[in-house]
Amino acid sequence: MDDIDILLSMVENPTRRRILESLVREPSYPLRLSKELGVSQQAVMKNLALMEQNGLVVSSRVDSSMGPMRIVYTPNTEFTLVVEMHRSMFSAKVIGPADAVDGAPEGMTVEEASERIEEIDARIKELDRERAALVSERNAIAQAMAETGTEEQATDGNIEQMTMEREV
């Protein structure tokens, strides 16, 4: 069996395709994939092991702030499978890391695209942390305002500040 046959046999399974689609968007670990896809963790792990054995994904151990180290899976950057499907025919080719990636900036290789995706993912995580901090600050301010009896109300795009007085 050659590379194309192995790849096609791997992606013929709908669960493996869904796992790959998820991993292309973001590296993940089996429990998260299981919850996201609605598939048992055992089935996810079995498919990940098969895909790793055939070179579609790679695993790495990463520290976790919530417990022991986790095994995170990512698509293998050694190749990309491009499949074009038409009514009654399709073509498939494997491109290596030195080949350009369709849709990426001109001349960008698979390896460069993968590195750029990792940079973008790191920035997204940083923005998520900033957003969480801002939401927390906003909630604390809103809570403080509620405790003092001050309420903001938006009317026709204008913000009016109303103070509610309590009778003692």
Side-chain angles (χ1 to χ4, degrees), residues 16 29 33 38 71 74 82 92 106 120 163:
R16 287 194 289 265
Y29 51 93
L33 288 167
I71 298 176
T74 57
V82 178
E106 191 166 329
I120 291 169
T163 305

Side-chain angles (χ1 to χ4, degrees), residues 17-81:
R17 282 196 309 270
R18 291 174 55 209
I19 290 171
L20 281 171
E21 288 170 3
S22 180
L23 293 177
V24 166
R25 286 190 303 275
E26 174 181 22
S28 193
Y29 51 93
L31 180 60
R32 179 194 278 169
L33 288 167
S34 172
K35 289 179 179 180
E36 178 184 326
L37 303 175
V39 177
S40 73
Q41 188 174 0
Q42 181 180 4
V44 168
M45 292 179 70
K46 179 181 175 183
N47 282 296
L48 284 169
L50 188 60
M51 289 188 294
E52 187 171 27
Q53 177 184 346
N54 286 289
L56 264 68
V57 298
V58 293
S59 63
S60 58
R61 293 188 178 272
V62 295
D63 289 328
S64 172
S65 60
M66 301 174 68
M69 293 183 79
R70 293 185 179 171
I71 298 176
V72 175
Y73 291 85
T74 57
N76 189 344
T77 58
E78 292 295 315
F79 63 86
T80 300
L81 175 65

Side-chain angles (χ1 to χ4, degrees), residues 138-155:
R138 179 198 176 280
N139 289 342
I141 292 170
Q143 180 67 31
M145 289 175 63
E147 289 172 1
T148 62
T150 304
E151 180 181 303
E152 285 189 10
Q153 182 178 21
T155 310

Side-chain angles (χ1 to χ4, degrees), residues 99-129:
D99 298 315
V101 177
D102 291 341
E106 191 166 329
M108 182 178 276
T109 65
V110 172
E111 187 174 283
E112 292 168 336
S114 179
E115 288 174 9
R116 180 62 182 140
I117 287 171
E118 287 177 15
E119 291 171 5
I120 291 169
D121 287 345
R123 180 66 176 129
I124 288 171
K125 286 180 183 178
E126 181 181 323
L127 290 171
D128 285 343
R129 283 191 295 273

